[in-house]
Each structure stands twice: as C-alpha cells, then as structure tokens.
Amino acid sequence: AIRMTQSPSSFSASTGDRVTITCRASQGISSYLAWYQQKPGKAPKLLIYAASTLQSGVPSRFSGSGSGTDFTLTISCLQSEDFATYYCQQYYSYPITFGQGTRLEIK
Amino acid sequence: QITLKESGPTLVKPTQTLTLTCTFSGFSLSTSGVGVGWIRQPPGKALEWLALIYWDDDKRYSPSLKSRLTITKDTSKNQVVLTMTNMDPVDTATYYCAQHIVATIFNWGQGTLVTVSS
C-alpha cells in the first residue's frame, strides 16, 4: 500500500495567516491526490482533487499543488472557520490511503 | 442534492458480524464511474478506507481487512451494504459511507459510531 505522510501533524496559526500543509507519498502517484477538511464530530469534506482542482463551492483561498510524490495544501488567508483537521488521500492505486492528518489550531 | 446515510447497530459484541447499510439519493449507482464505499475512523484517529463497489459491480477491499469484509449493492433500492465479520474492540469507530467517482471521494454520509464491547 502507498503510505501518505503529512507534515506537520499539528500546528497553531492566527486568523489572516498563510499556511501550508505538505503531504508526501511513498511512491509516485501522478496527480491522484485529494485534500479533505474535517471538523470535530463531522464528516470530512472534499476541498481539492486531482492535486489542484478546487471542488465546487470551496473558497478560493484554498489551493493545492504538486505531482509525483510531493504535494501541498495552502490556505492563503486563514479564516476562523478553517481551524480543523486536514487529510490528504491518494487514489492512484488500491487500497486508497489517507495521511495521518494535520490538526490546525488557533494560536 | 446528494445525500448518504449510514444505518446499523451502534453496539456489537466481540466475534459478532457487523452489517451496515448505506442509503443514498441524488445519484445513481448505475452511472459509469460511480461507486459507493466505506471509510472508518476510530475515536481521535485518522481515516481508514475499507471497501468500494462500483457501478459495474467491481469490488475493491482493504487488503488488511479483506478476509472479513463483504460489500454488496442493491441499485434498485439505492443501497450498499457492508458486512464485517469477527468484530473486535479495536474495530470501534465511526463508519462512513461515501460516494466515489473513479476513486475520488466526493460526498460523505454523516457517519455512524459503532462500539464493540461485551
């Protein structure tokens, strides 16, 4: 199975900050990568797929980049509603696998 | 509007078989490229993908759980059923069903917490 490793596992930031979360695949996955946001007690929500395609309805402050093994999720100007846990997920091959999550907390 | 909802027992005993049903609306499991799958999340832990069934009845399973899982669909009822045998306390988790489109998970159910305890 392809292992997905996110960094950092958690960090604190302030409203208005620009933040970047990284995700590394244990082998090349082309652009078969998605990012999800999960808030406590809620189901995950798709933010980005195909590494950089913004899902309909997701604010443009979210962006994704990368291909192969290294990927990033960037939030350009943090809003209060963005404090959550973020997961990357590869769908290049089965089994589908997720990263361990990055918890973004308010500083 | 696409919705998915999980149903099944909230408490199962060790060694029992868990049966979960996903009832969905707003899309068809007869459409090419569409699938419905299951993902779980133990309390405070990360997401773990379990299984997926496609419109053409192609089925995919997590290798680590394959021997315990069965996924089936009833297209006429807009339902997908997951069974997991030989439940153990480590299987305690929130179980989500989700719409997949060529393996990308676009829409999720609200999840159902299943506790395994005697």
Side-chain angles (χ1 to χ4, degrees), chain B residues 8-116:
Chain B
T10 57
L11 178 66
V12 297
K13 296 184 186 317
T15 75
Q16 287 187 336
T17 294
L18 171 68
T19 300
L20 294 173
T21 301
C22 177
T23 304
F24 58 88
S25 63
F27 67 96
S28 172
L29 200 40
S30 299
T31 302
S32 177
V34 174
V36 173
W38 292 88
I39 301 100
R40 71 178 179 180
Q41 186 173 37
K45 296 188 178 180
L47 300 162
E48 179 185 17
W49 180 84
L50 301 178
L52 168 60
I53 188 165
Y54 279 110
W55 85 102
D56 60 356
D57 212 39
D58 183 22
K59 301 171 186 177
R60 305 284 177 164
Y61 294 100
S62 168
S64 63
L65 292 167
K66 185 175 183 178
S67 63
R68 299 173 54 204
L69 296 175
T70 302
I71 191 168
T72 60
K73 64 181 175 68
D74 186 330
T75 306
S76 64
K77 293 183 178 179
N78 282 354
Q79 290 183 332
V80 169
V81 174
L82 181 76
T83 60
M84 180 180 290
T85 61
N86 195 25
M87 294 292 285
D88 183 272
V90 300
D91 296 314
T92 293
T94 296
Y95 287 75
Y96 296 98
C97 68
Q99 180 206 36
H100 295 55
I101 299 177
V102 197
T104 304
I105 303 170
F106 275 82
N107 293 283
W108 298 67
Q110 64 188 26
T112 185
L113 176 62
V114 178
T115 301
V116 185

